[in-house]
């Protein structure tokens, strides 16, 4: 059960924040880094505006007894810890709620969201990507190994993952260049070096680690370490992946780019939408066992817009389709003693639902390119140059929603052969 009806809209004196269809009511207080002609600054989304938190802190209106917004990233607030996270939300709520006393002091620091550019909201320390969606793992396993061997023997016992590259993480709106790579030839002895012909997206939820660890942590402790969430698109070159992935997993197929949404939704904003775990026919070992409602009810969509085309929604699903919660992923990550750092980003793995119209990648939507889906009336298997992929997501409350803003990227054509003599 979710608790989404327990809290209603917290009304703000910023009128646009009371729009029931907006992503950024006062309940959300999503965190970004924006540029409005005065250098990059920390901002808080409120309705159709961005509030300059760096200016508020400089004026002493926002005061957490230490600098939080001196650098254009939210890592300082993360490092300050859960008590500071709560104090920050309490202060911002008091400043922005209906009837607040000091509106005249705040108004000059509100910028129209339409007139700012957004940057990465935090410095990504390290990036790990999991594979925690059961429908996705089953679909991919069925395509690659057959229905009998779809899920590997370990899958129902550990959240499988691989260590990615923080350097590849981009903010929404940054174009993504189609990569070159080594792909399988007609037989295994004759691979080719070529632009990927099977470039794809993956619909994921990213969890941001806000507190460090140095040793194994429990699922409950891991939950308390999570600062917030972003939407995440793990761009994937399927032809490069199919050739390289055995036996050590994905490498260059996932290294081109990973796009995240520009707004961090703090964990507290999603607390009313917490949900319980899925059915488990195989119990987890005690150190990974479910500990409370560590899943979320967040509706997700993917829209594909062809170059010179119109946006078309190609999938609808929900984060409740995950088999392992972000807290279980993080706890598993620490079992070896692997230290976690402030600003670590954990991708959930592709979130597909049980039906064909809820699949979170083109690989699944087109079933390996065999059965083409139609976009703007044209059959499609993978992504074309000029395509824009937009992920969106929101937790739906009573009279309000907690959104992430769009997470999008447009495919640029591959370069000329970078190794041409
Ligand atoms: Ca992935």
């Amino acid at each position: 059960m979710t608790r989404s009806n327990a809290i209603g809209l917290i009304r703000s004196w910023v009128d646009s924040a009371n729009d029931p269809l907006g992503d950024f009511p006062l309940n959300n207080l999503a965190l970004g880094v924006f540029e409005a002609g005065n250098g990059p600054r920390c901002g808080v989304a409120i309705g159709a505006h961005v509030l300059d938190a760096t200016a508020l802190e400089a004026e002493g209106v926002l005061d957490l007894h230490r600098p939080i917004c001196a650098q254009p990233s939210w890592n300082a607030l993360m490092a300050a810890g859960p008590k500071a996270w709560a104090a920050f939300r309490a202060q911002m709520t008091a400043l922005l709620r209906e009837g607040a006393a000091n509106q005249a002091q705040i108004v000059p620091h509100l910028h129209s969201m339409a007139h700012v550019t957004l940057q990465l909201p935090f410095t990504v320390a390290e990036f790990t990507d999991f594979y925690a969606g059961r429908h996705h793992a089953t679909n991919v396993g069925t395509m690659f190994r057959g229905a009998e061997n779809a899920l590997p023997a370990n899958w129902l016992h550990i959240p499988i993952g691989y260590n990615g590259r923080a350097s590849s993480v981009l903010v929404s709106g940054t174009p993504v260049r189609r990569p070159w790579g080594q792909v399988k030839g007609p037989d295994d002895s004759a691979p080719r070096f070529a632009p990927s012909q099977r470039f794809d997206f993956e619909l994921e939820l990213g969890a941001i680690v806000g507190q460090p660890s140095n040793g194994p942590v429990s699922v409950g402790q891991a939950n308390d370490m999570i600062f917030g969430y972003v939407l995440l698109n793990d761009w994937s070159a399927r032809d490069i992946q199919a050739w390289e992935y055995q036996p050590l997993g994905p490498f260059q197929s996932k290294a081109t780019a990973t796009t995240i949404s520009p707004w961090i939704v703090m964990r507290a904003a999603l607390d009313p939408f917490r949900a319980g775990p899925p059915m488990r026919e195989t119990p987890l070992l005690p150190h990974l066992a479910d500990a409370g409602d560590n899943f979320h009810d967040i509706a997700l969509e993917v829209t594909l817009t062809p170059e010179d085309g119109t946006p078309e929604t190609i999938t609808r699903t929900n984060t409740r389709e995950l088999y392992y919660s972000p807290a279980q992923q993080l706890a598993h990550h620490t079992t070896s003693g692997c230290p976690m750092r402030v600003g670590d980003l954990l991708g959930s793995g592709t979130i597909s639902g049980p039906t064909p119209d809820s699949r979170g990648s083109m690989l699944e939507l087109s079933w390996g390119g065999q059965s083409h889906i139609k976009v703007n009336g044209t059959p499609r298997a993978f992504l074309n140059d000029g395509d824009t992929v937009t992920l969106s997501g929101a937790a739906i409350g009573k009279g309000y929603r907690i959104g992430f803003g769009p997470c999008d990227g447009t495919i640029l054509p591959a370069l000329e052969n970078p190794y041409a003599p």
Side-chain angles (χ1 to χ4, degrees):
M1 285 293 290
T2 61
R3 302 195 291 262
S4 53
N5 286 331
I7 300 175
L9 171 73
I10 306 171
R11 294 190 66 84
S12 172
W13 55 264
V14 179
D15 284 341
S16 58
N18 302 322
D19 176 355
L21 298 179
D23 274 352
F24 304 114
L26 183 48
N27 305 56
N28 191 340
L29 293 173
L31 309 176
V33 169
F34 74 101
E35 160 74 65
N38 200 13
R41 303 169 81 85
C42 293
V44 177
I46 183 74
H49 293 83
V50 182
L51 177 57
D52 185 341
T54 300
L56 291 184
E57 185 174 79
E59 292 182 6
V61 178
L62 172 68
D63 182 6
L64 292 177
H65 312 296
R66 80 200 86 187
I68 294 298
C69 303
Q71 299 298 319
S73 84
W74 287 97
N75 296 60
L77 179 59
M78 294 179 203
K83 282 185 180 158
W85 308 346
F88 172 84
R89 292 183 66 81
Q91 287 190 22
M92 295 305 296
T93 301
L95 292 171
L96 290 167
R97 75 184 306 157
E98 205 167 54
N102 44 2
Q103 295 174 25
Q105 198 174 2
I106 307 297
V107 167
H109 302 308
L110 286 173
H111 297 264
S112 166
M113 207 176 276
H115 296 136
V116 304
T117 56
L118 296 169
Q119 304 187 359
L120 274 179
F122 68 108
T123 302
V124 181
E126 306 201 35
F127 170 49
T128 302
D129 200 28
F130 286 90
Y131 190 56
R134 184 168 184 171
H135 298 295
H136 173 71
T138 303
N139 288 339
V140 173
T142 301
M143 276 182 257
F144 282 56
R145 290 180 296 274
E148 297 299 305
N149 303 305
L151 283 183
N154 55 9
W155 202 92
L156 294 174
H157 301 283
I158 50 170
I160 298 173
Y162 66 93
N163 287 310
R165 295 279 302 175
S167 62
S168 69
V169 180
L170 307 172
V171 72
S172 172
T174 311
V176 173
R177 178 78 64 187
R178 180 183 299 277
W180 284 72
Q182 192 174 123
V183 301
K184 191 176 181 297
D187 62 70
D188 282 358
S189 63
R192 295 174 296 120
F193 185 69
S196 172
Q197 296 303 305
R198 294 186 152 215
F199 203 53
D200 199 356
F201 68 88
E202 289 191 339
L203 168 60
E204 305 192 19
L205 182 71
I208 301 163
V209 178
Q211 287 285 279
S213 67
N214 192 8
V217 304
S218 69
V219 173
Q221 288 169 323
N223 179 65
D224 293 342
M225 288 166 61
I226 294 173
F227 177 75
Y229 297 93
V230 289
L231 302 178
L232 187 151
N233 180 349
D234 177 29
W235 302 96
S236 299
R238 302 300 181 191
D239 37 6
I240 298 170
Q241 184 179 0
W243 176 235
E244 75 176 1
Y245 89 106
Q246 296 189 72
L248 288 185
F251 187 46
Q252 292 307 290
S253 54
K254 304 280 191 169
T256 300
T258 301
T259 302
I260 62 171
S261 56
W263 296 104
I264 302 170
V265 175
M266 292 177 74
R267 177 161 54 86
L270 291 170
D271 273 347
F273 306 94
R274 296 187 85 89
M279 290 279 291
R280 302 192 190 282
E281 72 268 26
T282 305
L284 297 171
L285 290 178
H287 72 286
L288 288 179
D290 293 297
D293 294 344
N294 287 330
F295 293 78
H296 293 99
D297 183 355
I298 303 171
L300 301 169
E301 274 187 20
V302 180
T303 301
L304 198 159
T305 311
E307 193 170 25
D308 304 322
T310 55
E312 187 158 329
T313 300
I314 55 173
T315 200
R316 288 186 175 85
T317 182
N318 192 292
T319 54
R320 293 198 68 177
E321 302 293 350
L322 287 171
Y323 193 77
Y324 295 101
S325 66
Q328 284 165 322
Q329 296 164 29
L330 175 53
H332 174 63
H333 210 319
T334 68
T335 49
S336 59
C338 176
M340 302 304 294
R341 301 165 65 189
V342 172
D344 278 355
L345 175 64
L346 310 183
S348 62
T350 306
I351 304 171
S352 293
T355 56
D357 58 357
S358 62
R359 293 172 179 161
S361 65
M362 293 297 279
L363 178 70
E364 296 165 86
L365 286 163
S366 71
W367 207 255
Q370 294 175 35
S371 61
H372 297 229
I373 63 163
K374 283 192 173 170
V375 177
N376 288 194
T378 304
R380 299 291 297 273
F382 292 94
L383 298 175
N384 291 347
D385 293 344
D387 280 352
T388 298
V389 177
T390 304
L391 316 185
S392 56
I396 312 297
K398 200 174 182 180
Y400 73 102
R401 46 186 269 152
I402 302 289
F404 292 80
C407 175
D408 63 35
T410 300
I411 310 298
L412 300 178
L415 297 169
E416 296 296 307
N417 185 346
Y419 297 104

